[in-house]
Amino acid sequence: ETLLTLKGYQAMVDWVGRPPLLVPTKKGSKAPGAGSGINGFAVLPLSAGNNGSAIPRNGTAAGAGEEPWSDDAVRNRQKELQDKIMESPDYEAILSCVRELDGAIVISTALHRLGKVGLPAAARQDPRFRFLLDHFRMRLPFFGSRQIANSMHGLGAIQYRDGGAWVEMVSVQTQRRIRDFEPQHVSNTLWACARMQLQDNLMLRALINRAIEDINRMCPLDISIVTWACATLKLREVEWFRK
């Protein structure tokens, strides 16, 4: 296979903002859909799952990212579960596999998809849903801005207001990752906070500050969502409104 030059590799880094994913290849084999290689590594193609792009405006499941192809059977199983969740017609199909979920991408996909298909009030006491929330809390230290925004979007869509131990952890992780939040991540997360009436001052402060400093990159819809969230949460953000 053709080797990617260091110059070409650096160009890819500059383009996507981080190194492309490299997967070790066996002799004579190649990862499905892989492009050029570097010293025995296949370079995975730049797709919606690995290019770090923001989640879609309408909160579609593609924004959750995708598990890349791997020689690891465990990771491949997570990819199968993610595909199943993205095609799930109802909450029962999602909850049926939550005990197998492991990792930020697939957990955020499950929460996000629940927001799309809906979760009846009675189902919120389902032990499987409680398990998913607990797993969400435990894996949050490994969530990036994209997974945080997707998860929060899903919980906001079902207007989940029962709180839980995950709230404190999501606040901590949002503050840790705030520099990575794209405008759409900020607006979607604030929208979710407003829907759930989450009044965590430190998290809200971090999100609003990020919105203010990044306002030049925001589209009109982002601005309107942030403004609506501030009004709904009764936040007196004078600096934001001056912008």
Side-chain angles (χ1 to χ4, degrees):
E1 62 185 25
T2 305
L3 291 179
L4 187 66
T5 65
L6 290 177
K7 183 177 180 181
Y9 178 82
Q10 185 59 51
M12 292 178 72
V13 174
D14 293 340
W15 183 35
V16 301
R18 61 171 176 76
L21 296 176
L22 303 180
V23 177
T25 60
K26 297 177 181 178
K27 187 174 182 179
S29 67
K30 201 172 186 180
S36 324
I38 302 177
N39 298 330
F41 288 84
V43 181
L44 290 182
L46 298 174
S47 65
N50 60 26
N51 68 359
S53 61
I55 60 179
R57 181 65 51 195
N58 63 359
T60 55
E66 296 179 1
E67 290 283 1
W69 177 90
S70 173
D71 284 328
D72 188 331
V74 173
R75 175 171 286 185
N76 288 339
R77 176 55 180 161
Q78 294 300 302
K79 180 63 171 69
E80 291 174 3
L81 290 169
Q82 184 185 17
D83 292 341
K84 177 182 177 180
I85 290 169
M86 291 173 68
E87 296 172 0
S88 297
D90 53 46
Y91 73 90
E92 183 61 40
I94 298 171
L95 296 183
S96 67
C97 60
V98 295
R99 295 188 183 277
E100 286 191 78
L101 305 185
D102 187 40
I105 293 177
V106 71
I107 291 172
S108 63
T109 299
L111 289 169
H112 186 270
R113 185 63 181 168
L114 282 174
K116 298 293 288 184
V117 301
L119 187 70
R124 300 180 191 192
Q125 302 305 316
D126 189 310
R128 295 169 300 175
F129 179 63
R130 312 303 296 185
F131 178 88
L132 177 59
L133 287 180
D134 195 47
H135 219 42
F136 172 49
R137 175 186 61 81
M138 291 189 295
R139 291 291 186 268
L140 265 166
F142 305 100
F143 275 48
S145 59
R146 191 180 187 186
Q147 287 80 45
I148 293 170
N150 279 340
S151 300
M152 292 291 283
H153 188 279
L155 291 168
I158 64 173
Q159 282 190 293
Y160 186 73
R161 296 183 177 181
D162 292 346
W166 62 270
V167 175
E168 181 178 357
M169 184 58 73
V170 82
S171 172
V172 170
Q173 190 65 359
T174 297
Q175 293 172 67
R176 287 183 59 207
R177 298 287 191 181
I178 197 62
R179 303 301 304 174
D180 299 329
F181 271 62
E182 294 293 328
Q184 193 174 341
H185 299 158
V186 173
S187 61
N188 280 354
T189 304
L190 280 169
W191 175 86
C193 287
R195 292 270 295 179
M196 291 186 282
Q197 285 296 300
L198 285 185
Q199 297 281 355
D200 186 286
N201 292 333
L202 293 177
M203 176 169 65
L204 293 175
R205 181 76 269 147
L207 288 166
I208 293 296
N209 285 346
R210 180 62 174 164
I212 290 172
E213 69 181 26
D214 218 16
I215 194 170
N216 290 333
R217 293 203 301 140
M218 284 188 162
C219 70
L221 182 56
D222 287 322
I223 294 172
S224 65
I225 290 173
V226 172
T227 303
W228 174 85
C230 288
T232 302
L233 292 167
K234 295 181 173 56
L235 301 178
R236 297 180 180 277
E237 294 299 330
V238 177
E239 186 175 355
W240 166 256
F241 289 112
R242 284 176 177 169
K243 292 290 183 177

